[in-house]
Amino acid sequence: MAQRSITLVINILKDSLVKVNSLNTFVFRSFFKPASSAGTEEASSAKRSRQESPQSNGKIGEPEKKIQRKSEEADNRNAKQNVQTNGKNKDTKKASPKASKTSPKNKNTSSPFKKQINDIKKEIKQEKETVDSKLNITSSPFKKQISDAEKDISNEKENEKSDSKHVEVKSEPKSSKDDDASKQNSSKDDNANVKKLSVEANQCGAEYNPASARYHPIKDAYWKAKQSTPYLALARTFEMIEDTKGRYKMVEILANFLSSVLLLNPDDLLSCIYLSINQLAPAYEGVELGVAETTLMKVIAVSTGRELKFIKTQTQEIGDLGIVAERSRVSQRMMFTPKPLTVQTVYQKLRTIAKSSGKAKSPIIHDLFVASRYSEARYIIRSLIGKMRIGIAEKSLFQALATALVSSRGYDENYKKKKQSEADIKKDIEDITFLLKTAYCQCPNFDKIVSTLLTHGIDDLLKYCTMEPGVPLKPMLAHPTRGVSEVMDRLKGNITCEWKYDGERAQIHGDKNGTVNIYSRNQENNTTKYPDIINRIDHFKKDTVQSYIVDSEVVAWDIEQKQILPFQVLSTRKRKNVDVEEIKVQVCVYAFDLLYLNGEALTSKNFEDRRQLLRDNFNEVEGEFQFATSCDTNDPDDIQGFLENSIKGNCEGLMIKSLDNDATYEIAKRSHKWLKLKKDYLTGVGDSLDLVVIGGYIGKGKRTGVYGGFLLACYDDENEEYQSICKIGTGLNDEDLSTHAKFFKEHTIPAPKSYYRYDATLAPDTWFEAVQVWEVKCADLSLSPVHKAAIGIIDPEKGISLRFPRFIRIRDDKSTEDATGAQQVAYMYRNQDQVKNQKTNAAEFDDDFY
Ligand code: ATP
């Protein structure tokens, strides 16, 4: 306890010392800043960041090259200016050597900063007095240490003074002998400094390397058992991952770090997982940070004393506010040395930011930013922006976690590696990855998964992480087909065809307490959008039903004509907090699957059984709750006829589903057990695409005053980027154009986001935030030298673009990350007849978690 108090007191006094130092340095820098301060600032910050930031590993990427070039240019400018300034000083000295020698003091007394300096000094004094009084220092037994520390401060002050003199003397002419001696001394000093820095960096974790080939989870971690996991260790892990190309290695790096966490402080595992995939809570809880990029820029500017304009320009040049933040942070002078960040603190603070409203967010962000060291600032800012840009999504996380779990139990009590064959390790990792994925599919909640792992172990994971009403599942999705013959080729066993309703997917959850929730295709809670369904649901379920999860499509319904209305009608309905009294658009639920009934998950049952259970336990009420119209047939003519009927019935086409025994409900998978056959697919590419609008081209002629065309992109989740796929101007009527112009006015950005991939020749007049998804149809897909969609999948250099794209509608129910993915684009490209004919072995698009 006594020892802790001593440390506390000394730390406080040291902080004051740092404050005095930084004050003096600030004063000194302010006085001796060469004329072009911006250039100098830029140069020195870039230089410092090159020297001090461990992130680069000697590699300099394009943005870094740019910065380096700029920095070198600025260095040259400064060198010139220094020569001029020195020349001037010489002249002044000749005129008045005395005045020159004492000039720093003189400058201090006559300085415009005098007031600030005195204010800060006063502040330090006051702070010390407060601390003194709080700790009752005068009567404290630590008086000696305190007076020693005070002496330290005054010595430091003296040194500062002599430093200033030294600097002043520096401009006096020197003999070459002096020069040599000072060069030798300074090189000795430099070497000592480098050594000291490297020892410090090593101790504080700036050189932590989870990418090392023979990583040992205890020996290679620089923190100790039960000690909170330093955030810097996670930031270093992100750095290493970012610098790595291969997915296998990326997973290995994350696994190494996680194995250390599992062995040293498993309580930190949850925060590490959430921070790695940049989530704060289960997706369905909808916890969002809600921090605008401009807010972050302002915080960085305020915290570092840099100009907002400078931060903005740098961000535009580098294309990554995270890097700009890191560089600004490195060059920032510290008043106090904040406590090192831990993963828990960062995670908790991010949660607090999410919960705080508007202005209350900035001070918390400021605290986090100021406490960050090395690359921490980069990843904190990226977390806040919502793009980590390290390419770790859920899929890689499961593999890394499985590897870490296997690795961490591969050590004996002395942390020596147990003997285990490579084949066994590989098999264990595969099995555990599968268990984790399955658990996550039925219970997409890391809080629950991690707590189960830590308390019950992996073997009991599926016992505890079960499906339950109130926790939305990622839905099973279908593959597109272009005609009945393709359907017959793909599904060999028994099949059923269902009408494909054109509305909104609704997962209806009812628990045994009578609580009902409705979730969208993206697990958003739509309960308040459909109070009418909630009110009526009890009439549809039979008495046998206590709890359930029904998969269905909600469509707009014309009560008078007793028929389905187009999707456009449904889209006019209010999105949240709908008042039953005010409902104008009536809806009907078309139920097509039952995933859970009375405490039991049905997903491992085949579709025929699930469908039977649905029909047995629910009642149809016309225009309110109906089963999807279906026809079990393998006859192509019947299917064709049924397709035509579905279109007459205002549907989009058919969903064709396997009735085989293995046709389970595949959560979170685009499965080949379900095929979709839309009326519009019958020719063309087989499906429409859902694309993100990233820019607009100013309209001319009849389209003056609105955007004449737009730049669209698909989303590549591997690289977490939007890749341009086409320009679009067709299918947009005047009303659409003015709606889009109004909407995007609120979402323009001064420069493209760093995660937009496009060719400079396609740069639109205005860039937009990635906020809206459009459904688009096209004649076909072709390889493109300019567009970047799916680049590297089909061709190493070329992307894929859409020919004759046509706007269909806005997809409000899809987030931009749910837009058509790069892999899907590649699949659609390959699946075209003309491409298939060229390449008979066109790769299949596997069923996989999406
Ligand atoms: P995807 O969901 O495949 O990404 P999408 O959201 O653009 O694509 P569609 O291509 O229109 O949707 O087709 C799948 C959707 O069709 C389902 O998500 C569901 O909402 C809807 N649907 C309508 N009727 C049915 C049905 N009978 N069975 C299954 N889904 C149906």
Side-chain angles (χ1 to χ4, degrees), residues 498-501 505 521 553 657 670 676 811:
E498 289 178 356
W499 283 13
K500 184 179 182 312
Y501 300 93
R505 194 150 182 173
R521 181 191 180 282
E553 186 86 350
K657 301 180 180 177
R670 189 174 293 282
K676 49 186 178 183
R811 287 290 307 253

Side-chain angles (χ1 to χ4, degrees), residues 133-146:
S133 70
K134 271 193 192 150
L135 295 169
N136 194 11
I137 267 174
T138 38
S139 62
S140 151
F142 311 119
K143 221 171 164 184
K144 184 173 176 322
Q145 281 98 326
I146 294 155

Side-chain angles (χ1 to χ4, degrees), residues 18 27 46 178 254 301 326 431 536 565 570 700 781 831 847:
V18 172
V27 173
D178 286 346
L254 184 59
E326 180 179 354
D431 291 350
R536 296 191 303 232
L565 292 168
L570 182 72
K700 292 183 190 132
L781 295 99
N831 210 25
D847 285 1

Side-chain angles (χ1 to χ4, degrees), residues 153-285:
I153 296 182
S154 75
N155 284 344
E156 278 293 327
K157 279 185 187 166
E158 280 307 311
N159 289 343
E160 285 287 334
K161 274 187 207 160
S162 67
D163 270 1
S164 310
K165 276 182 197 155
H166 173 73
V167 171
E168 189 52 32
V169 171
K170 230 163 92 182
S171 59
E172 281 186 23
K174 280 184 201 165
S175 72
S176 63
K177 219 173 155 190
D178 286 346
D179 264 357
D180 286 350
S182 89
K183 260 185 208 160
Q184 268 178 14
N185 282 343
S186 78
S187 103
K188 260 189 207 163
D189 285 355
D190 282 354
N191 286 342
N193 276 343
V194 168
K195 251 190 193 164
K196 200 175 143 215
L197 271 177
S198 119
V199 171
E200 268 171 27
N202 209 5
Q203 279 164 358
C204 78
E207 288 184 0
Y208 169 61
N209 183 6
S212 97
R214 309 183 113 245
Y215 183 83
H216 189 288
I218 303 289
K219 292 179 195 156
D220 288 328
Y222 65 97
W223 65 104
K224 304 266 171 306
K226 299 214 170 69
Q227 192 185 324
S228 300
T229 312
Y231 180 67
L232 187 55
L234 182 59
R236 286 286 295 159
T237 306
F238 292 161
E239 268 183 67
M240 305 277 133
I241 292 174
E242 202 176 337
D243 284 344
T244 304
K245 280 251 145 57
R247 183 141 300 273
Y248 177 79
K249 185 69 188 168
M250 287 161 104
V251 167
E252 184 189 294
I253 298 169
L254 184 59
N256 284 343
F257 167 74
L258 292 177
S259 62
S260 293
V261 176
L262 276 165
L263 289 169
L264 295 172
N265 193 348
D267 289 347
D268 286 342
L269 183 63
L270 184 64
S271 309
C272 293
I273 285 179
Y274 274 134
L275 290 169
S276 301
I277 51 168
N278 205 22
Q279 271 185 20
L280 296 178
Y284 59 88
E285 284 182 12

Side-chain angles (χ1 to χ4, degrees), residues 438-497:
T438 313
Y440 189 73
C441 279
Q442 51 194 45
C443 170
N445 182 328
F446 279 114
D447 298 61
K448 199 155 182 190
I449 290 179
V450 171
S451 81
T452 308
L453 278 178
L454 300 182
T455 43
H456 302 285
I458 186 79
D459 295 339
D460 280 341
L461 193 63
L462 296 185
K463 195 168 125 196
Y464 290 95
C465 295
T466 49
M467 186 187 292
E468 56 185 68
V471 178
L473 310 167
K474 286 195 170 192
M476 180 168 172
L477 297 177
H479 272 290
T481 54
R482 284 171 305 153
V484 177
S485 59
E486 192 181 341
V487 170
M488 303 314 295
D489 283 348
R490 283 176 175 265
L491 285 176
K492 297 287 181 211
N494 286 338
I495 54 176
T496 185
C497 305

Side-chain angles (χ1 to χ4, degrees), residues 471-749:
V471 178
L473 310 167
K474 286 195 170 192
M476 180 168 172
L477 297 177
H479 272 290
T481 54
R482 284 171 305 153
V484 177
S485 59
E486 192 181 341
V487 170
M488 303 314 295
D489 283 348
R490 283 176 175 265
L491 285 176
K492 297 287 181 211
N494 286 338
I495 54 176
T496 185
C497 305
E498 289 178 356
W499 283 13
K500 184 179 182 312
Y501 300 93
D502 193 8
E504 181 175 30
R505 194 150 182 173
Q507 216 176 75
I508 309 177
H509 291 227
D511 69 15
K512 53 182 188 310
N513 303 320
T515 309
V516 181
N517 278 298
I518 300 179
Y519 298 98
S520 75
R521 181 191 180 282
N522 297 332
Q523 302 83 58
E524 277 160 342
N525 199 324
N526 266 348
T527 310
T528 63
K529 181 173 180 181
Y530 296 115
D532 39 353
I533 300 178
I534 306 285
N535 289 347
R536 296 191 303 232
I537 195 86
D538 277 349
H539 307 312
F540 314 142
K541 67 180 178 69
K542 291 187 180 164
D543 294 343
T544 46
V545 180
Q546 284 119 39
S547 55
Y548 59 89
I549 301 177
V550 167
D551 204 355
S552 70
E553 186 86 350
V554 173
V555 292
W557 179 259
D558 184 335
I559 320 180
E560 277 154 29
Q561 303 293 321
K562 294 197 187 317
Q563 64 177 21
I564 291 166
L565 292 168
F567 170 81
Q568 281 70 13
V569 179
L570 182 72
S571 65
T572 60
R573 199 167 152 136
K574 217 174 117 186
R575 295 233 202 129
K576 275 195 163 92
N577 304 321
V578 172
D579 183 347
V580 190
E581 309 297 316
E582 287 171 6
I583 291 176
K584 290 199 182 79
V585 177
Q586 299 301 322
V587 291
C588 177
V589 173
Y590 279 92
F592 53 76
D593 218 319
L594 185 63
L595 315 184
Y596 183 92
L597 183 69
N598 298 339
E600 191 197 346
L602 305 180
T603 43
S604 53
K605 292 190 184 296
N606 65 47
F607 179 56
E608 201 164 12
D609 292 348
R610 300 198 306 274
R611 186 176 66 173
Q612 196 54 51
L613 285 167
L614 175 70
R615 291 176 179 172
D616 291 347
N617 286 281
F618 289 82
N619 293 314
E620 284 192 287
V621 178
E622 197 194 21
E624 292 187 9
F625 185 93
Q626 289 179 241
F627 301 127
T629 308
S630 66
C631 168
D632 298 357
T633 176
N634 280 53
D635 181 332
D637 291 337
D638 287 351
I639 300 176
Q640 188 63 43
F642 196 59
L643 172 66
E644 281 153 25
N645 282 344
S646 79
I647 292 158
K648 281 184 206 141
N650 275 343
C651 285
E652 270 191 306
L654 298 182
M655 292 293 286
I656 297 118
K657 301 180 180 177
S658 166
L659 291 178
D660 284 352
N661 238 342
D662 61 351
T664 56
Y665 189 93
E666 298 175 73
I667 308 168
K669 271 192 181 176
R670 189 174 293 282
S671 164
H672 281 288
K673 299 273 161 31
W674 281 16
L675 300 177
K676 49 186 178 183
L677 181 56
K678 292 193 197 173
K679 58 184 172 203
D680 312 295
Y681 297 178
L682 302 176
T683 52
V685 294
D687 201 357
S688 53
L689 292 97
D690 298 316
L691 302 170
V692 182
V693 193
I694 58 170
Y697 302 92
I698 289 166
K700 292 183 190 132
K702 271 169 78 183
R703 293 188 170 180
T704 305
V706 290
Y707 292 108
F710 297 85
L711 182 63
L712 303 186
C714 69
Y715 181 66
D716 177 18
D717 64 351
E718 288 263 312
N719 298 304
E720 293 182 86
E721 63 185 18
Y722 296 94
Q723 303 173 331
S724 87
I725 191 165
C726 67
K727 278 172 149 188
I728 192 169
T730 311
L732 297 151
N733 59 32
D734 290 349
E735 197 188 327
D736 292 332
L737 289 170
S738 95
T739 311
H740 297 326
K742 261 188 227 144
F743 176 81
F744 285 109
K745 204 171 162 197
E746 305 296 315
H747 299 282
T748 59
I749 44 175

